[in-house]
Amino acid sequence: NTYLFTTPPIDHGQQRPDWRRNHHIYNVERPQSVHVSKMTPSMNVARALLRDTTRASLRGSTICAVRFASAAALAGGVDAGSSRSSIIRRQQPPSSCINNNFHPFSSAAQVDDASDKQSPDGNPKLNDAPSETSEDLSNEPPQKISSVKISEVLKRKHTLRWVEPVISKDATVKEAITLCIERKLNGMMVVDRSESIKRETTTELKQKCVGLITSRDLLRIMSASIKDGKSAEEVLNENISHQMTPINQVIYGRPDETIGQCRAIMAKLGIKCLPILVGGRVEGILTVRDMTDFYFTAEDKGGKKNYLRDVSERVGLTTDTSMAEPPVFVRQHLALRHAPLYLNVGVAEYPHPFKAADGIGSSRRNFGPQDLATDSDLSEDAHFVSSVELLGESGNKLQQLLYMGVADGVGSWREYGVDPRAFSHKLMEECENVLQEASSQCGILGGKSCSMISPAELLAQSYERTKEANIIGSSTVCVALFDSVHHQMHFSNIGDSGLIVLRHIDSEVASALQRSKTPRAERKSDLRIAFVSQQQLKSFNHPFQMGWTGEDIVENDSSFKQATDSCTSSVHILRGDIIIMATDGLFDNVDIDDIAKIALQWELESGFIDGGGNGARNKRWSSGTSLTDVSAQSIPRLAELLCQKARENSLDNTIDSPFALLAKENDIMWSGGMPDDCTVLAMHVVGKEPNAL
């Protein structure tokens, strides 16, 4: 005569293998004198009272026992006073369920109140399954904002205020600024109204998207124009199509993605506007503010209560407000901000281990010579390092600039009878030629002819020269410029070559998110990965590349990219940083954390740090002592160590290299490393030039 009330816990995003183990069980003893074989009006009242009292009991009411006893007495004459202590036995549900507004009561034990339905034997029917429309299960906990789909955000945004975020490609900067302010837009799709698009489901569209422009882009246009000496009128009348993000470089989102996914993408890529694409159409442009506003209702943002709580006690600064001094760990670097920095560069280049003059063996067994290949002339990789004197950013003073680059020739050209080395080597050669010619013209022509050349512009000029020489082939490429005065490393990258920056970041001053997961007592140093350049791939093991086939390729889905399509960015550099630029032969075989360990080993061997700490180094810097000459002599050793580690891992079939891990993520079975050419440029940031006293 015991009813068993069980309800599975509400799923809050975590799947449980067997919900029966997590049931909350409530045993309700029904008095023996209660007979349900024949229902009377008083029994119906008692039944309703029993149900309501049971709910109150399960929710913690202190008078539920009395009411339950009364209901039992009404139903069958049980003495209320004698039944209080033995009527109900229940197990207290977990507090997490109660805190989540979970009501531990199932309609599986309820009798249908709509009518007195009875079974053939005269007993009332009980529902065999929980009712989906039960009022107790309808009160589900609120959905997490990060799990809300973007389509819901767009619906609310467009419902509250619809503004068409478009601008013509023929518009000027002035018109774009006006639209941004009037329509309260952070970004707009640039459209070509002269072209139309025919689709199967629609007749004709007259707004073909050709790019994206944001308020940040408009500021960049004005800044660049002012630096070039243009007047305000010339700046405002400049066409936006020259500075917009081309349509083939626009990062977009999908409506079924969540707020959490989109915010992560925008944060990683540093973008503030995310077009949402549905069936080849841009349904809207999403911003961080749109996602934040979705969480708040109008009542949350307006009214007296919200003003008193959010605004009144935090609005207005006093007249004696001033900026705080930088923290101590920042002042050490700020003291050196006006002093130029220098780079000591070391280069190491290893060919494919199974490469010979007549080709490449597929494995060690198929490789002819007994020893592995060591002749760097066989490598399809190429590089250059060039120090030139050009006009700096100010445009009126010559400055010593250091350029460097790596290129990885695509080996599959060998199948077409083309030497894969030709294109990559020619590209790097022309980079150096462009720089030397520009530097030599400074004293003759002056002006813009010898101004600073950006990495993207250098790539564009060297590519045009390579194409004019009709060099067939293709290559991934990364070119960088080190600005010693402003402590900046500017770079442009196409494909899977790239650079990383290693830096000593003290755990005591680093934020919680930047601290290493390994306890400080177990770590050998605080050498961290401060920056990793973005790589560009069409698919797994299929990087984008610069190339020439003898004719221009107009396919939108081509693997070939121009210099304007490169990933171009800058990273601030500090004294003591270690910069590694390399081809994929390093990054496919050596994990970035292992690269940092090798760099730490090199620092310890060279005496730059003492026991993994920065104390001795900082004291040396403050006293004006420099180990620049030691750095210049030992930095090639670091490049050599990295190349050796890459080759060692590439020949080891028992490890999970970065290439193997990525292959498995793409459903490709691969174990061990990836034998390949490897070129490493290791750079150490120092405070003095070599041989400088």
Side-chain angles (χ1 to χ4, degrees):
N1 295 319
T2 301
Y3 286 106
L4 182 64
F5 296 83
T6 66
T7 50
I10 295 177
D11 183 8
H12 298 291
Q14 294 182 352
Q15 298 293 332
R16 289 173 175 166
D18 186 4
W19 62 266
R20 294 177 182 83
R21 290 179 297 176
N22 298 279
H23 281 185
H24 309 301
I25 301 174
Y26 305 90
N27 296 322
V28 181
E29 291 185 1
R30 189 175 59 189
Q32 297 294 329
S33 59
V34 177
H35 301 286
V36 296
S37 60
K38 184 176 181 181
M39 302 296 294
T40 64
S42 61
M43 295 287 286
N44 289 333
V45 174
R47 183 187 59 197
L49 185 57
L50 283 170
R51 182 195 63 209
D52 295 337
T53 308
T54 303
R55 288 184 182 179
S57 169
L58 297 176
R59 294 174 185 174
S61 174
T62 58
I63 62 174
C64 61
V66 176
R67 290 184 177 179
F68 195 101
S70 300
L74 179 61
V78 178
D79 180 54
S82 62
S83 304
R84 291 182 184 180
S85 60
S86 60
I87 292 294
I88 295 179
R89 296 199 310 270
R90 73 182 178 93
Q91 300 175 11
Q92 180 66 26
S95 60
S96 60
C97 294
I98 298 176
N99 295 337
N100 287 328
N101 297 324
F102 170 67
H103 303 299
F105 187 86
S106 173
S107 58
Q110 295 186 45
V111 180
D112 188 2
D113 289 330
S115 62
D116 291 334
K117 296 182 180 180
Q118 296 184 357
S119 61
D121 59 1
N123 293 327
K125 281 188 176 181
L126 298 181
N127 294 329
D128 294 329
S131 172
E132 296 295 336
T133 59
S134 172
E135 61 180 3
D136 299 291
L137 297 179
S138 62
N139 188 17
E140 295 183 358
Q143 189 177 11
K144 291 183 179 180
I145 186 67
S146 60
S147 61
V148 175
K149 290 187 177 181
I150 290 302
S151 57
E152 298 298 322
V153 181
L154 279 182
K155 286 178 184 178
R156 176 175 177 179
K157 177 181 179 180
H158 294 164
T159 301
L160 295 177
R161 182 172 178 266
W162 166 255
V163 177
E164 192 175 29
V166 298
I167 189 171
S168 172
K169 70 180 183 66
D170 300 321
T172 62
V173 172
K174 181 179 180 180
E175 294 171 339
I177 294 175
T178 303
L179 278 178
C180 281
I181 295 174
E182 289 180 351
R183 299 182 181 180
K184 299 180 180 179
L185 298 172
N186 288 325
M188 298 173 287
M189 297 304 300
V190 182
V191 297
D192 184 0
R193 294 190 172 97
S194 64
E195 294 191 32
S196 59
I197 306 174
K198 292 184 179 181
R199 302 187 186 277
E200 296 179 359
T201 56
T202 58
T203 55
E204 199 172 11
L205 300 177
K206 295 184 177 180
Q207 294 196 111
K208 179 181 178 181
C209 296
V210 295
L212 172 70
I213 192 162
T214 66
S215 56
R216 186 186 298 173
D217 295 330
L218 295 174
L219 290 174
R220 288 197 186 103
I221 294 174
M222 292 188 288
S223 175
S225 300
I226 292 172
K227 285 183 178 180
D228 291 340
K230 295 182 180 180
S231 64
E233 185 177 357
E234 290 175 324
V235 174
L236 293 176
N237 291 328
E238 190 171 345
N239 191 282
I240 63 171
S241 61
H242 302 301
Q243 301 293 334
M244 68 180 183
T245 302
I247 194 66
N248 61 344
Q249 295 184 33
V250 174
I251 305 296
Y252 64 90
R254 302 179 181 89
D256 58 342
E257 293 175 333
T258 64
I259 288 180
Q261 290 174 313
C262 289
R263 292 194 67 172
I265 291 172
M266 297 171 76
K268 289 179 180 179
L269 302 181
I271 56 179
K272 60 186 300 184
C273 297
L274 189 68
I276 305 302
L277 196 68
V278 182
R281 297 182 181 87
V282 177
E283 294 292 327
I285 298 179
L286 201 69
T287 65
V288 175
R289 181 174 180 177
D290 295 332
M291 293 183 280
T292 304
D293 286 346
F294 183 84
Y295 182 76
F296 297 101
T297 63
E299 292 83 355
D300 293 330
K301 295 186 285 187
K304 294 180 180 179
K305 177 182 177 181
N306 292 306
Y307 183 88
L308 292 174
R309 181 185 60 194
D310 302 330
V311 181
S312 62
E313 296 187 3
R314 66 182 78 244
V315 61
L317 300 176
T318 60
T319 56
D320 60 346
T321 302
S322 61
M323 290 299 297
E325 291 294 326
V328 176
F329 63 91
V330 175
R331 286 181 225 162
Q332 297 173 351
H333 291 286
L334 290 179
L336 305 172
R337 61 182 172 179
H338 298 299
L341 296 177
Y342 303 92
L343 279 185
N344 288 327
V345 184
V347 181
E349 187 173 12
Y350 278 27
H352 191 292
F354 309 142
K355 184 170 292 184
D358 56 349
I360 301 177
S362 59
S363 64
R364 182 116 188 215
R365 177 179 298 177
N366 296 328
F367 178 55
Q370 184 176 0
D371 298 327
L372 299 176
T374 57
D375 186 2
S376 60
D377 291 336
L378 299 175
S379 176
E380 294 155 13
D381 290 355
H383 70 276
F384 82 95
V385 179
S386 182
S387 179
V388 294
E389 198 173 47
L390 298 173
L391 291 176
E393 290 186 354
S394 60
N396 53 16
K397 185 178 180 181
L398 291 176
Q399 179 181 336
Q400 198 72 27
L401 301 171
L402 184 64
Y403 289 82
M404 71 288 299
V406 294
D408 181 5
V410 177
S412 57
W413 281 102
R414 189 178 293 103
E415 300 175 7
Y416 301 92
V418 176
D419 186 354
R421 298 175 297 178
F423 189 88
S424 58
H425 283 71
K426 181 65 174 178
L427 194 65
M428 294 292 95
E429 178 185 336
E430 291 300 339
C431 282
E432 198 162 9
N433 290 339
V434 170
L435 293 171
Q436 296 298 333
E437 291 173 11
S439 180
S440 63
Q441 292 176 356
C442 279
I444 303 174
L445 301 176
K448 293 185 178 180
S449 60
C450 67
S451 59
M452 180 186 295
I453 303 175
S454 68
E457 184 181 354
L458 180 60
L459 268 181
Q461 293 187 35
S462 61
Y463 173 72
E464 289 299 324
R465 293 189 179 197
T466 304
K467 189 169 69 171
E468 289 175 3
N470 199 31
I471 304 298
I472 307 298
S474 61
S475 169
T476 65
V477 59
C478 180
V479 171
L481 157 65
F482 178 66
D483 186 345
S484 62
V485 174
H486 298 93
H487 305 177
Q488 293 285 329
M489 177 70 82
H490 311 281
F491 70 91
S492 292
N493 184 56
I494 296 179
D496 53 4
S497 297
L499 61 86
I500 64 173
V501 178
L502 305 177
R503 178 175 300 161
H504 284 276
I505 303 176
D506 194 342
S507 296
E508 300 302 325
V509 299
S511 65
L513 291 177
Q514 290 293 324
R515 290 173 186 159
S516 175
K517 297 179 181 179
T518 307
R520 182 66 186 89
E522 300 178 12
R523 291 199 306 272
K524 296 181 179 179
S525 79
D526 283 318
L527 186 64
R528 312 285 183 81
I529 302 159
F531 179 81
V532 179
S533 65
Q534 186 185 36
Q535 297 186 4
Q536 298 173 312
L537 294 92
K538 186 174 182 179
S539 60
F540 170 71
N541 203 29
H542 186 177
F544 287 114
Q545 54 211 256
M546 300 188 81
W548 174 245
T549 63
E551 56 184 15
D552 291 321
I553 297 178
V554 295
E555 298 178 8
N556 294 329
D557 198 32
S558 172
S559 301
F560 288 0
K561 296 294 181 181
Q562 302 294 323
T564 53
D565 302 322
S566 63
C567 174
T568 298
S569 186
S570 300
V571 56
H572 188 69
I573 299 300
L574 300 179
R575 185 177 179 181
D577 285 355
I578 298 174
I579 306 170
I580 305 296
M581 175 184 283
T583 58
D584 62 337
L586 175 68
F587 300 124
D588 282 349
N589 290 294
V590 186
D591 187 77
I592 295 181
D593 289 332
D594 292 332
I595 293 176
K597 292 178 182 178
I598 295 173
L600 174 63
Q601 174 190 345
W602 170 79
E603 283 188 308
L604 291 170
E605 292 176 354
S606 303
F608 298 120
I609 58 174
D610 183 13
N614 300 329
R617 186 189 68 174
N618 294 337
K619 290 181 180 179
R620 187 174 67 249
W621 287 355
S622 60
S623 64
T625 305
S626 175
L627 297 178
T628 297
D629 292 337
V630 177
S631 170
Q633 294 172 5
S634 62
I635 192 64
R637 169 66 177 163
L638 175 57
E640 188 75 18
L641 288 172
L642 291 172
C643 271
Q644 289 176 358
K645 185 63 175 177
R647 169 165 286 194
E648 176 186 337
N649 287 356
S650 71
L651 300 174
D652 189 347
N653 294 327
T654 63
I655 65 170
D656 270 336
S657 65
F659 182 88
L661 293 174
L662 188 58
K664 293 172 183 176
E665 290 179 8
N666 287 270
D667 298 327
I668 298 174
M669 295 307 298
W670 188 281
S671 62
M674 176 63 176
D676 198 1
D677 301 315
C678 181
T679 298
V680 175
L681 272 63
M683 294 164 274
H684 192 210
V685 183
V686 295
K688 294 183 179 180
E689 290 184 276
N691 301 320
L693 299 178

